[in-house]
Amino acid sequence: MAETILVVDDDLDILELLKMNLEPEGYNVRTASDGESAVQSACTDPPDLILLDVMMPHKDGFQVIEELKDIEETKSVPVILVTARGQTEDKVRGLDTGADDYITKPFDLREVTARVEAVLGRTRPIKYINPLIRAMGEGFSEEGLEQLAGHLQAAAAIQKKLLPEQAPRLDGFDIATLLQSSTSVSGDFYDFIPLSETQIGIVLGDVKGNGIPAALLMVMIRTALRLLCHEEDTPAASLKRINDLVARDTEADLFATMIYGILDTETSTFTYANGGHCYPLHWNNARSIEVLKVGGMLIGAFEEATFTTGTCLLAPGDVLVFYTDGITETEAGDAPVSDGNHSESMRSEQDDIHEDAILTDIFYGSDRLAACLSKNAALSASALCKAVVSDLARFSGSTQTRDDRALIVIKRDV
Amino acid sequence: MNLDTTIGEENISTLHIEGKILGNASDAFRKEMELQLQTGHDKLVVDLTNVPLIDSSALGAIVTTLKSCQESGGKLVLLNPQKAVQEVLEVTHLATVIEIYDTEESARDAFM
């Protein structure tokens, strides 16, 4: 989601200049031309960052910062002060008051975007974990907050490193992946684990929940699976161990759905187990879609859960697709029923039979994904990924994503 | 989403929900169930008749509450989930651990 910047300056030309400079960078820009309306605007709808001119009549930048720091909703909004050249005192006073950075006038526009991005990069994780901090109570110190923010950044970095950059090359198979994150730390993940010369483990999962706990859970699942998959004979046994580990060590509302399977390039079979995840799709040589319905309990909520191993034989040209619900739950762009209130009023007017039709209109759904797969099954794995992405963009009218999306396409060579 | 809780015979709380349980609505849903537990109501019927969709955080709330209810000797049951919700319950296999009923009477009988 685009971040919002509130730009405050009494010089309307500068306001316009900054707006024109920042909007193409993907930010939402709001403006205020005096201190009073800046405070009001920030309180009504706290922005992600404020670019604040110091020298303004009536209420200057320092007074604005002091007021904002006293208000619960705005006290953690980062502020970059814009000061006149050479006013070192201003800079010192500004940083003392709680400004996060400063820019001197006249400024270089590239410097403005660089500083904005640097400050947002620093404060983004703090904003992200604020709900967690609130849950932990009032007594939480500022040092603790910074420490946690640091941990989250580390977790995000670890996660990025953990995700394989490229799908592995395998004899006789063409594999491509897609991962689109809606936040700095993604809940969706995938992994490829080399098991032997002819076998590779394939993982696709979706950690539910937010922030550090979810990020840590993802790292924990990935690491644990990498270690224990070598010890277990079947994917079902591997998932069972992961489940027991997570169920024992985490709260019940922290859980994941995932598929773990082994692709054997010699026998062209895919052996898999499913922990509550969306069913994979198999486009087979009969030119039809088979849904791989061997399912199982979601991972991490119940210690007693057991799993089943399923098998799927891949003929030449067959395609296997794994996806997360961020794909099937992509909402339609300009559908008349896309907003909640509207659909509720429709429900009262129509009978239940129409409910399915309404839902089919709201969400992309697995049927559309299956249709897209059938239509493009002749393409390469990476072209198929791209075809799904453009189909989603067409359906939703946007290239942005509200939820994380992950996709793995495995195609056996013809 | 609209949420309305009624407390009936045998201290059974029924949460009547109307609309999608997504995002902020999931938080409200979670808090309402927590409130019921805190006030000693651990016999919960979650009426999903008018819920076209739920998200994963609402699912998490159901799992957590289900476990809390079981620990205190109570129970959480679902009433009449619609197609999309039923599908989520089946894919996640939650349908195998949560009791699901079609009618309010049979849901209430589950506590007798």
Side-chain angles (χ1 to χ4, degrees):
Chain A
M1 216 171 68
E3 286 162 307
T4 302
I5 299 173
L6 174 62
V7 183
V8 190
D9 203 302
D10 57 332
D11 184 334
L12 298 182
D13 289 335
I14 291 189
L15 280 186
E16 195 52 34
L17 181 71
L18 287 170
K19 193 173 156 77
M20 277 170 53
N21 186 46
L22 290 167
E23 276 178 343
E25 300 292 323
Y27 301 111
N28 286 327
V29 177
R30 288 208 313 257
T31 57
S33 54
D34 61 75
E36 193 55 50
S37 57
V39 173
Q40 260 182 20
S41 168
C43 292
T44 317
D45 182 11
D48 295 291
L49 180 130
I50 303 174
L51 260 180
L52 179 63
D53 185 28
V54 173
M55 291 281 285
M56 290 185 295
H58 309 303
K59 189 177 280 185
D60 69 17
F62 299 125
Q63 289 170 291
V64 172
I65 293 198
E66 274 164 19
E67 282 188 34
L68 292 176
K69 294 294 167 193
D70 276 340
I71 302 167
E72 186 60 35
E73 288 79 18
T74 56
K75 70 178 187 194
S76 56
V77 175
V79 178
I80 299 179
L81 275 181
V82 183
T83 69
R85 185 187 287 283
Q87 303 285 323
T88 314
E89 237 171 80
D90 276 1
K91 289 176 196 165
V92 174
R93 190 177 158 201
L95 295 173
D96 275 351
T97 325
D100 293 83
D101 203 351
Y102 59 84
I103 296 168
T104 44
K105 276 187 194 172
F107 45 71
D108 177 343
L109 286 171
R110 282 167 307 181
E111 186 195 346
V112 174
T113 38
R115 290 200 184 267
V116 162
E117 185 42 46
V119 169
L120 280 173
R122 242 180 9 241
T123 53
R124 213 173 267 139
I126 296 180
K127 181 187 148 208
Y128 194 58
I129 57 172
N130 261 345
L132 189 74
I133 305 298
R134 274 200 293 278
M136 290 167 100
E138 288 290 302
F140 212 76
S141 71
E142 204 142 301
E143 293 75 40
L145 185 87
E146 275 169 22
Q147 213 176 9
L148 262 178
H151 288 328
L152 184 68
Q153 267 178 327
I158 287 171
Q159 192 190 30
K160 275 219 181 84
K161 234 180 263 168
L162 283 173
L163 287 172
E165 281 172 25
Q166 266 189 329
R169 289 172 185 280
L170 289 177
D171 277 350
F173 287 87
D174 176 18
I175 301 181
T177 59
L178 168 87
L179 185 75
Q180 292 181 324
S181 300
S182 55
T183 55
S184 59
V185 179
S186 169
D188 289 4
F189 65 100
Y190 61 82
D191 195 12
F192 297 98
I193 311 168
L195 296 171
S196 74
E197 293 244 313
T198 57
Q199 290 190 326
I200 182 165
I202 297 170
V203 191
L204 178 76
D206 181 358
V207 172
K208 309 295 180 176
N210 287 307
I212 294 180
L216 290 181
L217 177 60
M218 179 254 151
V219 172
M220 175 174 152
I221 288 179
R222 227 199 85 131
T223 313
L225 188 60
R226 278 206 161 234
L227 293 172
L228 61 80
C229 66
H230 298 280
E231 298 167 11
E232 300 297 334
D233 291 335
T234 64
S238 294
L239 276 198
K240 165 113 189 96
R241 280 188 61 185
I242 294 284
N243 178 70
D244 292 353
L245 186 77
V246 179
R248 205 180 52 228
D249 292 349
T250 63
E251 296 296 319
D253 62 347
L254 198 60
F255 59 87
T257 66
M258 63 188 283
I259 290 188
Y260 171 60
I262 299 167
L263 178 66
D264 189 315
T265 55
E266 206 168 44
T267 59
S268 296
T269 50
F270 182 68
T271 317
Y272 67 100
N274 184 342
H277 197 81
C278 321
Y279 300 131
L281 302 175
H282 173 206
W283 188 83
N284 59 31
N285 55 1
R287 309 249 170 276
S288 66
I289 296 278
E290 177 201 0
V291 181
L292 302 189
K293 277 202 171 173
V294 173
M297 180 65 76
L298 47 82
I299 301 288
F302 301 95
E303 277 189 62
E304 62 272 27
T306 56
F307 300 88
T308 315
T309 295
T311 308
C312 166
L313 186 66
L314 295 168
D318 278 15
V319 183
L320 201 52
V321 171
F322 310 95
Y323 59 94
T324 55
D325 57 12
I327 290 193
T328 43
E329 287 177 10
T330 295
E331 288 187 59
D334 45 9
V337 289
S338 62
D339 89 45
N341 294 332
H342 198 150
S343 96
E344 264 142 51
S345 66
M346 291 197 63
R347 182 175 25 261
S348 59
E349 288 157 16
Q350 302 187 7
D351 60 20
D352 285 351
I353 297 164
H354 290 91
E355 184 80 317
D356 284 352
I358 292 170
L359 281 174
T360 314
D361 288 343
I362 297 178
F363 289 113
Y364 185 70
S366 58
D367 289 347
R368 280 192 182 84
L369 179 61
C372 180
L373 169 61
S374 303
K375 202 174 113 193
N376 297 292
L379 300 178
S380 72
S382 67
L384 245 165
C385 273
K386 288 196 187 97
V388 172
V389 172
S390 25
D391 205 34
L392 287 169
R394 222 176 0 254
F395 181 77
S396 67
S398 162
T399 51
Q400 301 284 317
T401 174
R402 191 176 49 84
D403 194 3
D404 300 335
R405 289 172 179 167
L407 183 71
I408 300 182
V409 176
I410 299 171
K411 184 173 184 181
R412 187 176 166 195
D413 294 349
V414 179
Chain B
M1 180 195 74
N2 281 320
L3 213 168
D4 175 42
T5 306
T6 52
I7 296 172
E9 289 167 44
E10 303 285 327
N11 239 356
I12 298 169
S13 301
T14 306
L15 280 77
H16 300 278
I17 305 149
E18 260 192 71
K20 296 184 266 189
I21 318 182
L22 305 172
N24 291 338
S26 302
D27 288 342
F29 172 59
R30 175 189 301 267
K31 288 201 179 103
E32 176 61 26
M33 292 199 290
E34 276 171 9
L35 180 74
Q36 291 305 317
L37 286 173
Q38 280 160 9
T39 53
H41 299 97
D42 59 4
K43 298 174 183 170
L44 301 181
V45 178
V46 179
D47 182 356
L48 296 171
T49 310
N50 293 310
V51 177
L53 265 180
I54 64 174
D55 68 6
S56 60
S57 128
L59 214 57
I62 290 175
V63 172
T64 314
T65 313
L66 174 82
K67 293 183 104 175
S68 303
C69 288
Q70 285 170 349
E71 276 162 24
S72 66
K75 198 191 269 193
L76 177 150
V77 306
L78 301 180
L79 175 58
N80 204 13
Q82 301 302 299
K83 187 167 178 276
V85 178
Q86 179 68 32
E87 269 176 23
V88 171
L89 294 170
E90 277 167 17
V91 168
T92 55
H93 272 221
L94 286 178
T96 63
V97 290
I98 304 180
E99 294 177 28
I100 300 173
Y101 297 95
D102 293 341
T103 65
E104 225 167 324
E105 292 71 39
S106 54
R108 271 202 306 271
D109 287 347
F111 294 95
M112 301 304 165

